[in-house]
Amino acid sequence: MTATGPTSSAPHRVALGTWPSPLEPAPRLAAVLGLGKEDLWFKRDDLVGLGGGGNKTRKLEFTVASALAAGADTLVTVGAPQSNHARLTAAAGARLGLDVVLVFPGYPGGTRSGNITLDALFGARVHWAGKVAREQLDEIARGIANQLRKDGAHPAVIPFGGSSPVGAQGYVRAGEELLSQLPGAHTSVVALGSGGTMAGLVAALGSEHVLGIDTGAVAEPANVVSSLATDTSGQTIAAEGLHIRTDQVGEDYAHLTEATADAIELTARTEGVVLDPTYTGRAMAGLIAAVRDGMILRGQTTVFWHTGGLPGLFGHPHALQRFESTLRQYP
């Protein structure tokens, strides 16, 4: 596997993570799935140092650097209340001495654990936007940024999920990092949320080597990834050529499916690795389905990108109830 070609000129970058992230074999899980013991690897982007870890750190190294280059002293971003991106934006702000405002749908008084607790710990402020569509959050964030400017601050709006051609550069570098660690890797499996992570990997590794598992975070995920990957790589990457599974979303983005719960339990009990109910759990369920369907074959090296999200597990009451109910007693 080789890179598809040169990417666009690299923007500024600020160091926020610890690189390279570990690449670990997963032989026991591979055996259960019917793969060879050396066929399955975990790329541990959950173990990168900043704020509880996760893939958004790679994007923030570029999006925050661009904000700093423009003179920003405040970061404004959007997401769901259990957003990993929001949590890591708050952590980046704390590390760099920047104020952070997080714009969430809904109202105060809901779940106070998981990522919300860490947002508070890192000193971020939250604006609760009420009952609004995801797309409306962007407009609200721009309005907050305008008000901050009137108050004398210098805000920068970081896009949803950190997904932009600038943010996707973080996963172009991640793909290049993987090539240096495991040159023979055939397929990278990754959760598809806001699209920037998959787009960067596609730009670095090629569409044929990346399988995205849709989590229901955006409408028309193939078009989102195609646009981002094209802008990031400078080459036309058609939506029709992308490999995306949409069969793991379930009822909606926040819903814990049986397949996801089973995948989380299996991964924990074979490899001692914890996945989350929204992103990595769905991605593993998609990987398992891809093995069953013959998309992933024995003898081909598959890399599962662990994009983090552990704090979100503790903000998902249905998942906690499900897993706590399986606790065994002795004798």
Side-chain angles (χ1 to χ4, degrees):
M1 177 168 54
T2 59
T4 58
T7 60
S8 56
S9 58
H12 297 285
R13 183 180 185 182
V14 60
L16 293 173
T18 302
W19 315 114
S21 63
L23 183 67
E24 301 176 347
R28 279 175 41 79
L29 178 58
V32 170
L33 299 182
L35 301 174
K37 289 185 176 180
E38 296 182 358
D39 288 350
L40 184 60
W41 296 75
F42 286 172
K43 183 69 166 131
R44 299 295 301 272
D45 273 14
D46 57 322
L47 302 177
V48 297
L50 179 73
N55 63 318
K56 308 303 183 182
T57 303
R58 290 191 189 266
K59 300 179 185 180
L60 286 163
E61 289 198 330
F62 290 91
T63 55
V64 173
S66 294
L68 290 172
D73 58 16
T74 305
L75 306 177
V76 182
T77 199
V78 305
Q82 286 297 329
S83 166
N84 297 308
H85 164 69
R87 180 244 308 166
L88 283 168
T89 301
R95 177 170 292 187
L96 298 171
L98 304 173
D99 289 335
V100 175
V101 179
L102 307 175
V103 183
F104 294 152
Y107 304 90
T111 300
R112 296 184 179 181
S113 59
N115 281 314
I116 285 285
T117 299
L118 295 179
D119 295 338
L121 186 63
F122 295 134
R125 291 178 288 169
V126 172
H127 174 82
W128 294 99
K131 189 175 181 179
V132 297
R134 214 294 301 161
E135 294 75 16
Q136 292 175 277
L137 292 177
D138 296 329
E139 182 179 352
I140 294 169
R142 289 191 292 269
I144 289 172
N146 288 335
Q147 183 59 54
L148 287 166
R149 290 187 190 96
K150 292 177 182 177
D151 294 339
H154 301 281
V157 178
I158 306 296
F160 171 63
S163 291
S164 66
V166 172
Q169 289 288 342
Y171 268 85
V172 174
R173 272 57 180 184
E176 295 167 350
E177 182 178 295
L178 175 64
L179 288 174
S180 70
Q181 292 176 308
L182 193 64
H186 184 275
T187 302
S188 281
V189 179
V190 67
L192 198 178
S194 56
T197 298
M198 181 177 177
L201 291 177
V202 166
L205 305 176
S207 301
E208 68 275 22
H209 293 294
V210 182
L211 173 60
I213 311 301
D214 183 27
T215 64
V218 296
E220 301 183 353
N223 290 335
V224 170
V225 173
S226 170
S227 177
L228 282 168
T230 296
D231 290 345
T232 299
S233 67
Q235 303 176 36
T236 300
I237 297 177
E240 295 77 14
L242 298 171
H243 297 295
I244 296 173
R245 293 189 72 110
T246 60
D247 57 346
Q248 301 302 322
V249 175
E251 293 180 15
D252 56 44
Y253 174 77
H255 177 70
L256 176 67
T257 69
E258 281 299 309
T260 296
D262 290 345
I264 292 172
E265 288 183 347
L266 179 62
T267 304
R269 293 176 183 181
T270 55
E271 297 294 344
V273 172
V274 181
L275 307 179
D276 79 287
T278 304
Y279 295 103
T280 53
R282 276 192 173 101
M284 182 56 73
L287 186 156
I288 293 169
V291 173
R292 182 184 63 233
D293 295 350
M295 290 182 69
I296 292 176
L297 301 175
R298 184 183 179 93
Q300 295 178 340
T301 304
T302 296
V303 176
F304 176 81
W305 286 78
H306 192 323
T307 53
L310 174 61
L313 172 61
F314 298 100
H316 199 299
H318 296 300
L320 293 178
Q321 291 168 10
R322 160 67 186 262
F323 300 134
E324 288 171 0
S325 70
T326 68
L327 183 66
R328 297 181 295 173
Q329 298 186 41
Y330 176 85

